[in-house]
């Protein structure tokens, strides 16, 4: 089936079919004509050619999200899902690639996307090459360095907010549950920086840092070490909700309970956080707000519209549940 077949079925010109299918805003197409075209498309099972559309527009409808070689946990998964849904509503298709599989240069030259979204910092050479090729580039600003971008999530503030919650509920000896994956060390350093600064602000000793991998036995050993220390650690900031889940499971194995023996606070407000035992207190990074802005930056850049206002820091929200 071709657009010409659709035009004959609907009794309109092929140009009109093109205007309707591409939702051309400056052409006045009556609702009756639009319906005729769409009915003909449905009846004939017509599928527009992506290749032809790319040739006509001078670009593809692909948006490449370049992911770093870090664990793909709940935050990145949610980011990809939310952004993909939003871009799809504007006729753009999100594809993701990992840094460990191919360098960015080879990927964008192979795909020639309309836009590239970089989750972490990329080289100035790559940025210049993509822009010279007419590819709109959006940097998220999610990297540890906190470079300006579409998604500005303040990592140090996360650690500060965790400690502030524990201090507000009476804890004066704080622990920090670090993730077992070394690829997260840059983010860990920033969150720890915030936690240490908050402890100093309240005249407390720096947090006692122990590694809590996603292993119940190791998590149990860490929980026992905090609980038996002198003075005992009574509240723990977990690097993220996954780490907090592991810690809570380890605590149950050795007969410790939250919040009475160890209060626990996570990060990310994972969809499973309300179902933890007990339900997990956490920091919500409000990805939906950040992703909405990122989508607008991509769409406006691809369509030649004015960019949205300069980015503001993504709001962080304390979600209080029973664990802390």
């Amino acid at each position: 089936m071709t657009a010409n077949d659709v035009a004959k079925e609907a009794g309109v010109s092929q140009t009109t079919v093109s205007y309707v299918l591409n939702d051309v805003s400056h052409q006045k197409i009556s609702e009756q004509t639009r319906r005729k075209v769409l009915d003909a498309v449905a009846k004939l099972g017509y599928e527009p050619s992506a290749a032809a559309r790319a040739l006509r527009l001078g670009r593809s409808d692909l948006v490449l999200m370049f992911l770093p070689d870090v664990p793909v946990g709940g935050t990145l998964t949610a980011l990809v899902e939310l952004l993909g849904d939003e871009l799809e509503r504007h006729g753009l298709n999100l594809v993701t690639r990992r840094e460990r599989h191919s360098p960015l240069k080879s990927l964008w030259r192979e795909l020639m996307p309309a836009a590239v979204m970089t989750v972490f910092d990329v080289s100035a050479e790559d940025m210049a090459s993509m822009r010279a090729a007419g590819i709109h580039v959006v940097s998220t600003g999610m990297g540890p360095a906190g470079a300006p971008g579409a998604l500005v999530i303040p990592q140090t503030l996360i650690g500060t907010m965790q400690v502030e919650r524990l201090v507000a509920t009476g804890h004066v000896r704080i622990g920090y549950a670090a993730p077992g994956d070394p690829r997260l060390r840059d983010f860990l350093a920033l969150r720890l920086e915030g936690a240490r600064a908050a402890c100093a602000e309240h005249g407390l000793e720096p947090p006692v840092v122990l590694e809590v991998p996603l292993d119940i036995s190791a998590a149990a050993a860490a929980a026992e070490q905090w609980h038996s220390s002198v003075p005992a650690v009574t509240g723990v900031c977990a690097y993220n909700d996954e780490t907090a889940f592991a810690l809570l499971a380890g605590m149950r194995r050795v007969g410790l309970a939250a919040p009475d023996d160890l209060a626990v606070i996570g990060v990310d407000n994972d969809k499973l956080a309300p179902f933890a035992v007990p339900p997990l207190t956490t920091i919500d990074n409000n990805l939906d707000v950040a992703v909405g802005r990122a989508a607008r930056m991509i769409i406006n850049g691809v369509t030649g519209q004015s960019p949205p206002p300069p980015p503001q820091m993504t709001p962080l929200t304390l979600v209080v549940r029973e664990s802390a």
Side-chain angles (χ1 to χ4, degrees):
M1 291 295 165
T2 67
N4 191 47
D5 296 319
V6 173
K8 289 178 180 177
E9 177 68 26
V12 299
S13 70
Q14 188 171 339
T15 301
T16 298
V17 170
S18 177
Y19 287 155
V20 171
L21 295 184
N22 290 292
D23 198 22
V24 178
S25 58
H26 64 271
Q27 295 295 327
K28 293 184 178 180
I29 307 292
S30 70
E31 186 56 35
Q32 182 181 11
T33 300
R34 186 180 302 276
R35 178 46 51 195
K36 283 182 179 180
V37 172
L38 295 177
D39 288 346
V41 167
K43 178 180 178 180
L44 299 177
Y46 172 69
E47 293 286 346
S49 166
R53 184 173 184 273
L55 286 172
R56 182 174 65 254
L57 296 177
R59 61 168 173 82
S60 74
D61 62 358
L62 298 180
V63 174
L64 169 63
M65 176 183 281
F66 189 58
L67 300 174
D69 186 20
V70 296
V72 181
T75 299
L76 276 182
T77 300
L79 172 61
V80 170
E81 183 177 346
L82 288 168
L83 184 60
D85 289 346
E86 185 63 26
L87 293 177
E88 190 174 323
R89 285 193 278 271
H90 295 271
L92 296 170
N93 293 301
L94 183 68
V95 295
T96 61
R97 294 293 186 272
R98 300 288 297 279
E99 182 182 28
R100 66 183 178 187
H101 296 311
S102 297
L104 177 57
K105 182 182 295 186
S106 64
L107 284 174
W108 72 257
R109 286 180 174 172
E110 176 185 348
L111 296 173
M112 286 305 293
V116 167
M117 182 171 180
T118 62
V119 175
F120 280 24
D121 302 329
V122 298
S123 70
E125 179 185 356
D126 270 329
M127 294 284 280
S129 297
M130 288 186 287
R131 286 171 173 155
I135 297 172
H136 183 64
V137 182
V138 172
S139 173
T140 64
M142 286 181 67
L151 309 179
V152 182
I153 299 177
Q155 301 298 319
T156 53
L157 182 56
I158 288 174
T160 298
M161 289 178 66
Q162 288 180 298
V163 169
E164 292 289 350
R165 172 59 187 174
L166 294 177
V167 170
T169 50
H171 300 280
V172 296
R173 195 69 179 105
I174 309 296
Y176 198 98
D181 196 315
R183 293 174 294 175
L184 296 172
R185 62 181 178 271
D186 290 335
F187 283 95
L188 170 62
L190 290 173
R191 294 182 186 184
L192 262 176
E193 179 185 327
R196 287 171 175 146
C199 285
E201 180 73 20
H202 290 280
L204 306 180
E205 292 294 319
V208 179
V209 182
L210 295 177
E211 187 175 291
V212 179
L214 301 182
D215 175 86
I216 294 180
S217 296
E224 283 193 309
Q225 185 173 338
W226 277 314
H227 186 62
S228 62
S229 62
V230 180
V233 167
T234 61
V236 177
C237 308
Y239 171 79
N240 59 13
D241 287 351
E242 288 184 349
T243 305
F245 295 153
L247 177 57
L248 290 172
M251 289 168 59
R252 289 194 296 274
R253 173 168 289 189
V254 293
L256 299 176
D260 295 336
D261 297 311
L262 280 177
V264 179
I265 180 170
V267 180
D268 289 340
N269 198 21
D270 188 282
K271 61 184 178 182
L272 296 178
F275 305 102
V277 181
L280 181 65
T281 294
T282 186
I283 304 296
D284 191 335
N285 49 31
N286 293 301
L287 270 184
D288 54 340
V289 176
V291 166
R293 174 179 169 76
R296 289 194 300 274
M297 292 182 73
I298 292 169
I299 293 160
N300 288 8
V302 169
T303 59
Q305 301 176 53
S306 299
Q312 295 181 338
M313 194 174 291
T314 300
L316 301 174
T317 306
L318 173 66
V319 181
V320 177
R321 299 190 181 98
E322 294 173 25
S323 71

